[in-house]
Amino acid sequence: MKRFIFLIAAAALAGCGIETASTAATAAALKKQELEQSKKTLEQAQQKIEKAMEQVQQSQQSREAAEK
């Protein structure tokens, strides 16, 4: 009887370990997705900043040409 209880307890503890590993893997996958999305957002922001800078430069060049 003691062996049976021990085996059940061991199986239950092993199951907890598997669940913990599964949870960690899921969390890691979510973090990876968040990181990839953050990279995309950063790239989009950089592109918008570059476009805005180009527009500012074009505007300055237009003003300088108009002043001449």
Side-chain angles (χ1 to χ4, degrees), residues 34-50:
E34 288 176 15
L35 179 61
E36 290 172 354
Q37 186 61 40
S38 296
K39 285 180 181 179
K40 288 179 184 178
T41 302
L42 177 61
E43 288 174 5
Q44 290 173 348
Q46 288 173 336
Q47 289 174 354
K48 287 180 181 180
I49 290 169
E50 288 174 8

Side-chain angles (χ1 to χ4, degrees), residues 11-66:
L13 291 175
C16 291
I18 292 171
E19 182 179 338
T20 301
S22 175
T23 301
T26 302
L30 289 173
K31 288 293 182 185
K32 182 180 177 185
Q33 267 185 332
E34 288 176 15
L35 179 61
E36 290 172 354
Q37 186 61 40
S38 296
K39 285 180 181 179
K40 288 179 184 178
T41 302
L42 177 61
E43 288 174 5
Q44 290 173 348
Q46 288 173 336
Q47 289 174 354
K48 287 180 181 180
I49 290 169
E50 288 174 8
K51 286 181 183 180
M53 293 297 293
E54 288 174 6
Q55 289 176 346
V56 168
Q57 288 176 348
Q58 289 174 355
S59 177
Q60 287 176 346
Q61 290 173 352
S62 295
R63 285 185 195 146
E64 290 173 1

Side-chain angles (χ1 to χ4, degrees), residues 1-8:
M1 183 70 172
K2 288 182 181 180
R3 283 187 177 177
F4 181 70
I5 293 173
F6 177 75
L7 289 174
I8 290 176

